[in-house]
Amino acid sequence: MLTEDKKITTFQTAVIISNCMLGSGILTLPRVLADSMKNSDGWLSLIIGGFLVMLAGLCIVKLCRRFPGKTIFQFSTDLMGKWLGSVFNVGLALFYIFIAAFELRVMFEVTTLYLLEQVPRWTILMAFIWVGLYIVLGGLGAIARLFEIILPITIVVFVISLLLSSKIFEIDNLLPVLGDGVFPVLKGVGSTVLVFLGHELMFILTPEMQQPEKAGKAVVMGITVPLFLNLIAFIMVIGGMSVHGAISSTWPTVDLLRSFEIKGLFFERFDFFLLVIWIMQILTTFSILQYTSSIGFAQTFRINNKPILYFSMPLIFIIASVPRDVNELLSFSGVFGEIGVSLFMILPPIMLLYAVIFKKGGVR
């Protein structure tokens, strides 16, 4: 628990949520959406999915406000009982370790494909893990300050890079709207929800806020930024590559920027800038996931989280090394996504309803 003078602001809370959401999904979402819907209406699914995640985030905030000063790892035992709550906490902390390892492996696959072809896997993974550890050891305040620096740079570089692809943009690739009806749009919402997972960080951020009564505002602000960036990415990728082109590419957002050159400028290719910014963004996602996992174990077993951070390093490395190739890695992402939707979209409203009915928590 941070002291009162070191608690994070509403803006910093929103920034942490945004950074966590801008992980691996922004490079794969256009393909995932186009593949599941077989048309160009994914932008509608994105808006609906973002709205649903906001609702789930507000449920989490409402639930946390009933247990002021406590994280999910502390008040879960009040809700579920000591043993069931402790098992839930351990499962949740392990889930964050798996997601952190997944983000790490995605970063390795993309960097070796486009930037560092001959660099051994262990070198990249270990370097990333150690840098992440250095960030997390500073605590939540240091994490928030770093994220405040990275997010504006990410937004500017990402938007400019994608807008440069307007020279190959074809509006016909996005038409007709609702040509196949509403059902494919609703089907695509499930895929968009996976990308927006990160709102659940409010389970640990709300008690660390200077003004927890503004936690709802932080959730809306935090989700709006990745919603905006994912909308731009989807529209520009489909407009530039078509639905078929997006489906056939593993990393369509990067491939879009590699598909054209700007003559006459100092730089003719801009995929390099996107990848550099994206690696920074993956580092932020990895860091906050590792931090959340350590907090989960520390608060469950009432120990210091720093030894846990060191012990989790080899575990993350081993898990990140398990997938044999990209296809197996992406299949794991589907499993993690379904677990994440159950944990952070379906469970929070149920927990809130249970707390209200059985009058759990100190604030009614």
Side-chain angles (χ1 to χ4, degrees):
M1 180 74 63
L2 296 177
T3 57
E4 199 61 36
D5 60 325
K6 292 184 178 179
K7 287 183 178 291
I8 57 176
T9 64
T10 304
F11 178 74
Q12 287 176 324
T13 307
V15 167
I16 291 174
I17 294 174
S18 295
N19 274 287
C20 185
M21 290 182 175
L22 294 173
S24 59
I26 203 161
L27 298 189
T28 58
L29 181 65
R31 174 182 54 78
V32 173
L33 264 180
D35 191 34
S36 65
M37 300 173 64
K38 311 300 183 190
N39 61 37
S40 58
D41 290 335
W43 59 276
L44 290 171
S45 302
L46 266 171
I47 295 174
I48 297 173
F51 179 71
L52 292 177
V53 174
M54 283 184 190
L55 290 179
L58 293 176
C59 282
I60 291 173
V61 168
K62 190 73 176 175
L63 181 62
C64 290
R65 294 297 307 281
R66 295 183 68 88
F67 302 90
K70 290 185 176 181
T71 70
I72 179 69
F73 300 107
Q74 293 169 318
F75 70 71
S76 62
T77 51
D78 297 336
L79 273 178
M80 308 176 190
K82 181 179 178 181
W83 291 104
L84 185 58
S86 298
V87 171
F88 173 81
N89 288 352
V90 172
L92 193 57
L94 284 174
F95 178 73
Y96 276 111
I97 283 186
F98 275 91
I99 296 297
F102 169 77
E103 296 286 345
L104 189 64
R105 180 59 185 269
V106 170
M107 183 276 303
F108 164 77
E109 294 293 341
V110 174
T111 52
T112 51
L113 182 63
Y114 296 111
L115 293 175
L116 308 170
E117 298 180 10
Q118 303 300 323
V119 179
R121 177 194 296 171
W122 69 268
T123 306
I124 296 176
L125 295 184
M126 286 306 299
F128 210 82
I129 290 173
W130 277 106
V131 174
L133 177 70
Y134 177 75
I135 296 170
V136 175
L137 285 176
L140 188 59
I143 293 172
R145 288 192 291 275
L146 175 67
F147 286 14
E148 280 183 299
I149 298 171
I150 292 179
L151 185 62
I153 300 172
T154 299
I155 295 173
V156 171
V157 173
F158 192 78
V159 171
I160 291 177
S161 298
L162 285 174
L163 290 181
L164 287 173
S165 68
S166 58
K167 63 182 296 185
I168 60 171
F169 183 86
E170 296 285 346
I171 190 65
D172 290 344
N173 290 336
L174 290 162
L175 299 176
V177 177
L178 292 178
D180 297 327
V182 177
F183 182 74
V185 174
L186 299 177
K187 182 181 178 183
V189 170
S191 302
T192 65
V193 168
L194 308 184
V195 177
F196 289 121
L197 289 181
H199 65 290
E200 77 281 358
L201 289 179
M202 291 308 296
F203 272 135
I204 67 162
L205 297 180
T206 302
E208 307 294 358
M209 293 180 65
Q210 293 176 0
Q211 297 175 296
E213 66 275 10
K214 294 185 178 180
K217 180 182 178 182
V219 168
V220 175
M221 290 169 58
I223 296 174
T224 300
V225 172
L227 173 60
F228 171 70
L229 294 182
N230 276 298
L231 270 174
I232 292 181
F234 180 83
I235 290 173
M236 298 309 293
V237 167
I238 300 300
M241 300 175 65
S242 77
V243 172
H244 178 73
I247 293 175
S248 60
S249 172
T250 303
W251 317 104
T253 308
V254 180
D255 288 339
L256 171 70
L257 297 184
R258 292 172 61 87
S259 64
F260 67 92
E261 294 181 353
I262 304 292
K263 300 292 185 184
L265 297 180
F266 187 76
F267 295 100
E268 296 183 348
R269 297 275 298 276
F270 292 88
D271 53 305
F272 170 78
F273 294 100
L274 176 67
L275 286 172
V276 170
I277 289 300
W278 177 77
I279 290 172
M280 292 168 58
Q281 205 60 57
I282 281 283
L283 178 63
T284 63
T285 304
F286 173 78
S287 301
I288 193 63
L289 292 175
Q290 190 183 18
Y291 174 80
T292 305
S293 173
S294 70
I295 290 296
F297 285 117
Q299 293 184 346
T300 300
F301 299 107
R302 300 182 181 182
I303 55 178
N304 193 297
N305 74 318
K306 289 187 178 179
I308 299 172
L309 288 170
Y310 287 102
F311 282 119
S312 68
M313 292 173 64
L315 183 59
I316 291 174
F317 179 83
I318 293 171
I319 296 173
S321 303
V322 168
R324 288 171 293 186
D325 51 35
V326 174
N327 292 329
E328 195 167 286
L329 177 66
L330 295 179
S331 67
F332 284 158
S333 75
V335 175
F336 292 149
E338 292 175 1
I339 296 174
V341 168
S342 302
L343 283 175
F344 307 129
M345 292 295 294
I346 300 175
L347 194 58
I350 296 175
M351 294 171 73
L352 177 60
L353 186 63
Y354 177 82
V356 171
I357 292 175
F358 292 96
K359 296 181 171 52
K360 298 287 186 180
V363 179
R364 304 286 187 261

